[in-house]
Amino acid sequence: QVLFDMSDAKRQRREDEPSSPVPASEVVGPVNAREFPRFAGFATFARIPTQKEVENFDVGILGAPFDSGCSYRPGARFGPSMIRQSSRLLRPWNPYLDCRPFHDMQVVDCGDVGLNPFSIEKAVKHMEEEASKVLAASRSKRMLTIGGDHTISLPLLRAVRKVHGPVALVHF
């Protein structure tokens, strides 16, 4: 007997439209942990919906599983999946800051960019293209990238510059 499946959670959708994207006027938050346990199901950042589940979004979370630019300590390629796994424990309300970060704006998980680990040049080009797509699709033109080594900074800065104009980077 199956105790839980993703259809039980319904991501706060209306019962009559379980497979259609949620209208842009509604903000869809994380899956309710009382309806679907935190340890089960598809891992998205903080259990928020994927880009395919909503019509419009304000902030896109994009994974960059890439570490071919480092020479000594690889492992950043596992960053996006580990961050998503760890973020399952995040709650929709932060008692210390007294805020609900996923209530006022629509945040979605846009998945990972498939980066070529054997060609840094191709990976940089592809990262810029995919980041540009996420920024273009976002209502607020905002994006958060998780994972990746320092190589991904250049294509991300290029993508942001296309949308927001000149940018600066503080690297410490």
Side-chain angles (χ1 to χ4, degrees):
Q1 177 182 2
V2 177
L3 297 177
F4 298 101
D5 68 25
M6 248 345 231
S7 63
D8 290 338
K10 292 187 183 69
R11 289 202 187 272
Q12 302 172 0
R13 281 194 211 117
R14 293 188 301 270
E15 294 269 350
D16 58 332
E17 295 181 329
S19 61
S20 64
V22 175
S25 60
E26 297 179 27
V27 173
V28 181
V31 175
N32 186 339
R34 292 179 184 166
E35 295 176 13
F36 195 76
R38 295 183 189 284
F39 53 81
F42 181 71
T44 62
F45 181 81
R47 297 167 46 95
I48 58 175
T50 64
Q51 185 176 1
K52 295 176 183 177
E53 292 180 278
V54 295
E55 289 180 6
N56 293 310
F57 63 94
D58 298 302
V59 179
I61 310 250
L62 186 65
F66 187 77
D67 60 7
S68 297
C70 67
S71 59
Y72 178 63
R73 290 195 177 245
R77 70 187 111 174
F78 303 114
S81 62
M82 294 297 108
I83 291 168
R84 286 185 179 103
Q85 284 292 0
S86 298
S87 73
R88 286 176 178 251
L89 299 176
L90 291 175
R91 303 297 195 264
W93 175 65
N94 184 318
Y96 301 106
L97 298 176
D98 192 26
C99 70
R100 297 185 301 174
F102 303 116
H103 184 264
D104 296 329
M105 63 175 56
Q106 182 64 66
V107 184
V108 297
D109 193 322
C110 297
D112 288 349
V113 179
L115 299 170
N116 184 339
F118 305 110
S119 171
I120 291 177
E121 293 81 13
K122 288 180 182 176
V124 165
K125 183 177 183 230
H126 190 57
M127 185 73 223
E128 182 179 347
E129 291 167 356
E130 293 303 311
S132 295
K133 289 178 188 175
V134 171
L135 287 168
S138 167
R139 288 185 292 219
S140 66
K141 307 301 180 207
R142 294 182 190 166
M143 175 183 64
L144 173 69
T145 307
I146 55 176
D149 65 18
H150 293 185
T151 308
I152 67 161
S153 300
L154 177 62
L156 291 173
L157 287 169
R158 288 176 176 166
V160 169
R161 183 191 69 214
K162 288 177 188 175
V163 175
H164 296 287
V167 294
L169 171 69
V170 177
H171 187 187
F172 53 91

